[in-house]
Amino acid sequence: MFRLKSLLLILAIGSGAMAAERPNIVFLFSDDQTIGAMGCYGNKEIITPNLDQLARDGVRFLNHYNTTSICMASRACVMTGLYEYRHGCNFGHGDLERRIFEASYTARLRKAGYFTGFVGKIGFEIQDEDFDVFDQEFDVFAGGPSQTSYNTAKNKRYARYAEQYPHASRACGAWGQDFIKTAKASGKPFCMSVSFKAPHMPFTPDPIDLKLYESVKIFKRPANFGVDNAAHLSPQSQTGRQAKIYRDWVNNYDETVRKYYALITGVDAAVGMIREGLEREGVAENTVIIFTSDNGYNSGSHGFGGKVLPYEEGSKSPLIIYDPRQPETQAGLVSEAVTANVDMAATIFALSGVAAPEELDGKDLLPLLSNPSARVRDALPLFNFWGPASCQSMAIVTPEWKYIHWYSEDKGMKTTDELFHLAKDRIEMKNVAGNPENADVLAKMQKAYDVELAAISSSFVPNHNYDAFGKVFGRSLLWDAKKDLVKAYSGRVQKDSSGKKPKKDK
Ligand SMILES: [Ca+2]
């Protein structure tokens, strides 16, 4: 009897302790960082000691894709766990509806008792509401509208750090340290989002970091660098701003990449400050850290600059997850599973124990922390619903293959299928779609494509200008039947992404 009572007591204490020890979550988010721009991803020129350490402590993901590879949409994908056509938020498509924001992990965790904080570039707004409404949506909010500024003094909600940290990246680190203190004092578990502006354009790094790269005169080019390495790609891929502007990535590579790397080194310094803060407050052992970025970046690969395109450099970002509660044997492991921006919300819901909304598009990645060789999906869709219609596309990626369908036949172009054998050709130099020995693979990828296409038609969010995509991305409808549909929406989606508030859909 005594033993039973003791057992029950132990069980009761155990479950109470578990409830009290919901982990803290720190979500660190850079802006426009491609997967290769970090030491732990094999880049020997960039200086990222703190991020490399985070990778040694946690699990590093090699195939992390942004399902829409542009700021506004991807940030909404991260927070909601939904594909863009289901959350409806992108340039030319509209702001995030209140009901969808309410289902985001930040909103739900707060309702469930988490102490929440946000600093930096949030990148979207809630439809028909002022930006300042975010002050009520977090326990501590230090975000800014549109692109925010590298000049700390110009970001009103954390301008107080300007004297000590005039550049925004380290200022965000200092804000993070203070938030950790405040959150600890609240007695609640916390969820902190640090959304760096870096390394987004304009490339104005902290002089402290730029100095570290002064002695390097010539930087290593990507293996598929320059326009000569684009001759085999679809003509459609050449019709966007990635091929027409951002020419410094091709013509002035060394000076451009020097600043880009220095901006990431500034983020790295802030990550170090935040980890120090967690240690100092004694909360590091119960704090899960996630580091990723909102889209990749074409740093001269195939002659492209910018993002958006479904090729590897533009769509893939680093992802590191460090859960200190995992056994030490898991430290430094690497996962080749295909993961996505939409997985962040599902993972954070799982970590926190807070119920996720039904039918998230994203997957919980926690099983990969204990078993990095596992998979969470067979295939992932990548979308571009923005910019010139001729450069829009949908793609399917698996650990081994990528299939891209370019539908536009504008200006004499022909519909183009691209198939890359990623396992053998990671830099996408051979389109093997026409190769008879790949016919079975192509058919399988097209089947997966058609499944994702049907999902657009059946579940797009109404009134956000996605109505036509289930048809125009289709593989069988002829261009003549698509032309008018394209014309109807394309005027509305050709907005720039300068951060100006997009006009409402007419
Ligand atoms: Ca971005």
Side-chain angles (χ1 to χ4, degrees):
M1 189 62 188
F2 173 77
R3 285 182 62 186
L4 181 62
K5 266 189 183 168
S6 301
L7 184 64
L8 288 173
L9 187 65
I10 289 163
L11 284 173
I13 291 168
S15 63
M18 273 175 70
E21 286 179 13
R22 286 187 289 178
N24 307 306
I25 297 158
V26 169
F27 187 74
L28 306 172
F29 204 29
S30 63
D31 189 347
D32 286 12
Q33 185 176 359
T34 191
I35 189 161
M38 202 188 278
C40 58
Y41 281 91
N43 187 321
K44 299 211 180 345
E45 293 173 324
I46 197 164
I47 301 164
T48 52
N50 293 296
L51 290 164
D52 300 345
Q53 183 60 50
L54 188 67
R56 283 194 292 275
D57 294 338
V59 174
R60 181 166 57 94
F61 294 83
L62 299 185
N63 291 310
H64 183 67
Y65 291 85
N66 290 290
T67 53
T68 298
S69 201
I70 191 167
C71 309
M72 180 176 176
S74 183
R75 284 150 191 271
C77 291
V78 162
M79 273 208 191
T80 64
L82 301 174
Y83 295 140
E84 180 192 326
Y85 68 85
R86 290 189 65 212
H87 65 60
C89 184
N90 197 352
F91 306 105
H93 287 276
D95 296 329
L96 196 65
E97 292 182 25
R98 162 62 65 177
R99 66 183 174 91
I100 299 176
F101 178 76
E102 293 294 341
S104 69
Y105 75 80
T106 57
R108 281 204 171 198
L109 261 62
R110 188 175 184 217
K111 281 201 188 94
Y114 266 77
F115 191 81
T116 63
F118 187 101
V119 68
K121 171 177 161 180
I122 194 159
F124 62 83
E125 295 188 24
I126 300 176
Q127 195 174 64
D128 301 325
E129 297 186 35
D130 290 337
F131 182 83
D132 292 350
V133 78
F134 284 126
D135 287 323
Q136 273 86 59
E137 302 298 338
F138 295 84
D139 291 296
V140 186
F141 182 70
S146 67
Q147 299 289 357
T148 72
S149 175
Y150 281 129
N151 181 351
T152 304
K154 289 190 173 171
N155 299 298
K156 71 172 184 180
R157 288 179 177 85
Y158 62 95
R160 64 183 180 280
Y161 297 100
E163 198 176 330
Q164 196 174 359
Y165 301 108
H167 192 277
S169 293
R170 281 179 178 75
C172 285
W175 180 93
Q177 291 181 326
D178 284 346
F179 175 83
I180 293 162
K181 263 188 232 166
T182 309
K184 187 188 173 192
S186 78
K188 296 177 175 180
F190 63 83
C191 179
M192 174 174 86
S193 296
V194 179
S195 276
F196 298 99
K197 175 181 174 63
H200 193 286
M201 288 170 68
F203 296 148
T204 45
D206 192 326
I208 300 169
D209 301 311
L210 192 57
K211 217 171 163 27
L212 300 173
Y213 294 90
E214 260 174 7
S215 63
V216 186
K217 298 297 170 216
I218 305 287
F219 287 83
K220 193 180 170 193
R221 268 68 176 156
N224 54 7
F225 181 79
V227 293
D228 291 348
N229 285 319
H232 62 296
L233 298 179
S234 73
Q236 288 87 346
S237 69
Q238 300 293 322
T239 63
R241 63 180 189 175
Q242 303 80 10
K244 293 179 174 173
I245 55 175
Y246 314 122
R247 292 299 84 197
D248 275 354
W249 277 108
V250 179
N251 300 329
N252 192 19
Y253 182 78
D254 298 302
E255 288 315 305
T256 307
V257 81
R258 184 193 316 281
K259 292 177 200 159
Y260 183 75
Y261 284 178
L263 279 164
I264 293 167
T265 296
V267 169
D268 182 85
V271 170
M273 291 167 74
I274 288 164
R275 292 199 73 183
E276 265 176 41
L278 294 170
E279 292 289 346
R280 204 181 306 139
E281 297 304 319
V283 296
E285 284 181 9
N286 194 37
T287 301
V288 178
I289 303 174
I290 302 174
F291 179 90
T292 189
S293 191
D294 64 343
N295 49 257
Y297 214 75
N298 300 296
S299 312
S301 298
H302 306 295
F304 296 126
K307 45 223 179 189
V308 179
L309 294 171
Y311 302 120
E312 292 286 277
E313 297 81 7
S315 57
K316 277 170 88 164
S317 289
L319 171 66
I320 301 168
I321 303 180
Y322 170 46
D323 184 342
R325 303 164 307 166
Q326 287 283 334
E328 276 182 25
T329 49
Q330 301 308 101
L333 294 183
V334 171
S335 172
E336 292 184 46
V338 170
T339 60
N341 53 359
V342 290
D343 298 338
M344 299 300 101
T347 304
I348 291 171
F349 280 123
L351 276 170
S352 63
V354 175
E358 283 177 16
E359 295 182 0
L360 286 190
D361 293 314
K363 310 284 184 192
D364 165 16
L365 302 182
L366 296 186
L368 300 178
L369 301 187
S370 40
N371 182 13
S373 60
R375 298 282 183 265
V376 292
R377 57 169 60 78
D378 295 328
L380 178 77
L382 308 176
F383 310 98
N384 174 28
F385 301 106
W386 174 82
S390 54
C391 202
Q392 292 164 0
S393 68
M394 192 170 100
I396 295 289
V397 65
T398 71
E400 202 171 352
W401 297 90
K402 185 187 289 173
Y403 168 72
I404 309 169
H405 181 68
W406 300 93
Y407 74 88
S408 178
E409 296 193 1
D410 193 29
K411 295 183 179 142
M413 291 184 290
K414 291 290 164 210
T415 300
T416 309
D417 277 344
E418 289 180 327
L419 182 69
F420 297 103
H421 195 176
L422 296 178
K424 290 184 179 168
D425 177 27
R426 190 54 71 179
I427 59 171
E428 296 168 319
M429 286 303 296
K430 277 187 199 155
N431 175 12
V432 296
N435 189 337
E437 72 186 45
N438 299 126
D440 288 350
V441 174
L442 182 64
K444 204 175 153 195
M445 296 297 280
Q446 287 175 329
K447 196 176 166 194
Y449 182 97
D450 292 346
V451 169
E452 295 299 337
L453 185 74
I456 298 179
S457 296
S458 63
S459 57
F460 70 85
V461 62
N463 306 315
H464 286 254
N465 208 18
Y466 295 94
D467 317 37
F469 286 94
K471 287 185 180 148
V472 298
F473 281 175
R475 297 188 303 109
S476 51
L477 197 63
L478 294 177
W479 175 243
D480 272 351
K482 292 180 180 177
K483 269 194 291 196
D484 288 346
L485 291 168
V486 172
K487 203 173 168 190
Y489 75 73
S490 63
R492 296 196 296 268
V493 297
Q494 286 188 47
K495 306 275 165 57
D496 70 19
S497 63
S498 63
K500 280 181 232 148
K501 193 166 173 160
K503 285 175 192 150
K504 299 280 181 260
D505 291 345
K506 285 172 190 147

